[in-house]
Amino acid sequence: DVIRNDPVCGEANFATVEAMRRLAKSWREEGGAPDDPKLQTLVQVAQDLSCESIREVARAFNHFLALSNAAETHHRMRQVRSREIASNGLSSSLKNPLNSVIGSVQQLLDSHESGQAGSASASADSIYQALCDQCVEIVLTAHPTEVNRKTVIRKHRRIDQALAALDSPDLVPWKKKTIADSVASQIQSLWWTDEIRRTKPTPMKEALYGLNLIESSLWKSVPAFLRRV
């Protein structure tokens, strides 16, 4: 609906995106052979696009993949939480293959000879010592490593927060609809937002972008991860 609502060739761009998506999906499901006629058709569709259509179709797939990744990540986290609740504690859930903690901890322990690979039997003291021995260095580069604007990142963060809110078991129908509408609104806003910075950032601004990442992400996620460990 977001693409269709675009007054400039919205329906045409939507039809092109859907045709390419279905061709790509069918090609992958049938083995993804390089000589498959579906791949050749997909290539031909892309080659026949005008410059303006290429830009809009590329934007559509960019947003589609970003939102799909966010939904997949949220679903995997939901699975991890459900298994941890069912196991009644983290120690049992470490055996869960979807839990990244065990892999991270074991990687630390491998260099300290504190357990066998793939094992979750290391002592708490060994894990604590391995974590304390880690050295973390933050490098702030002076070139635009992050091309996404902060406004786009904030919109994606709001969508993530809304998806998490939808998992609340005590949501009344009107509240659930309000949150779902806010997700749709953020997606609509994303489509009409310029994703790329049009001016080259100065080294000072690039450093500030790095600090903003620390403040908005690492500052909370690292302590939360360590508490979980």
Side-chain angles (χ1 to χ4, degrees):
D1 289 342
V2 172
I3 301 175
R4 282 173 167 167
N5 290 336
D6 192 331
V8 182
C9 301
E11 286 290 346
N13 288 333
F14 176 79
T16 301
V17 169
E18 273 297 285
M20 296 181 72
R21 185 186 66 81
R22 289 174 180 171
L23 280 170
K25 181 180 179 181
S26 178
W27 172 65
R28 289 286 295 176
E29 289 176 345
E30 295 178 9
D35 57 347
D36 191 318
K38 288 186 175 61
L39 177 60
Q40 307 307 319
T41 303
L42 181 60
V43 171
Q44 189 61 52
V45 171
Q47 289 177 340
D48 291 343
L49 292 175
S50 65
C51 293
E52 182 63 26
S53 294
I54 288 175
R55 186 177 75 90
E56 296 305 305
V57 169
R59 288 184 65 236
F61 276 109
N62 178 59
H63 287 303
F64 175 75
L65 293 174
L67 293 170
S68 296
N69 287 339
E72 181 181 0
T73 299
H74 181 74
H75 178 63
R76 288 178 64 86
M77 291 304 299
R78 185 194 296 124
Q79 288 181 307
V80 170
R81 288 195 302 270
S82 297
R83 296 197 184 201
E84 287 187 5
I85 293 173
S87 66
N88 194 29
L90 181 59
S91 58
S92 298
S93 68
L94 285 175
K95 299 177 182 178
N96 175 11
L98 291 176
N99 193 333
S100 63
V101 172
I102 180 58
S104 302
V105 171
Q106 190 61 53
Q107 200 169 34
L108 293 173
L109 295 173
D110 284 344
S111 61
H112 288 76
E113 300 179 354
S114 300
Q116 297 179 352
S119 171
S121 59
S123 68
D125 289 339
S126 298
I127 295 175
Y128 177 78
Q129 189 58 49
L131 292 172
C132 289
D133 289 345
Q134 299 308 298
C135 178
V136 178
E137 295 182 359
I138 298 177
V139 178
L140 299 177
T141 60
H143 56 84
T145 53
E146 175 58 81
V147 297
N148 290 320
R149 297 173 58 200
K150 286 191 291 184
T151 183
V152 173
I153 296 174
R154 282 195 293 267
K155 293 180 191 302
H156 278 287
R157 189 173 295 127
R158 293 188 192 113
I159 292 174
D160 291 339
Q161 293 169 348
L163 291 177
L166 284 172
D167 282 342
S168 179
D170 59 349
L171 280 180
V172 294
W174 70 266
K175 184 64 174 177
K176 186 174 183 178
K177 183 181 184 304
T178 299
I179 297 174
D181 288 345
S182 73
V183 173
S185 177
Q186 289 299 325
I187 295 174
Q188 183 79 32
S189 180
L190 272 173
W191 179 253
W192 293 104
T193 300
D194 190 0
E195 306 97 332
I196 306 299
R197 294 192 197 127
R198 298 303 175 180
T199 58
K200 183 178 179 180
T202 64
M204 180 61 71
K205 285 187 177 180
E206 185 66 17
L208 291 174
Y209 295 148
L211 292 175
N212 181 68
L213 173 63
I214 295 173
E215 181 182 358
S216 62
S217 179
L218 297 179
W219 192 259
K220 295 181 180 179
S221 59
V222 171
F225 178 82
L226 291 178
R227 283 193 293 271
R228 185 182 181 202
V229 171

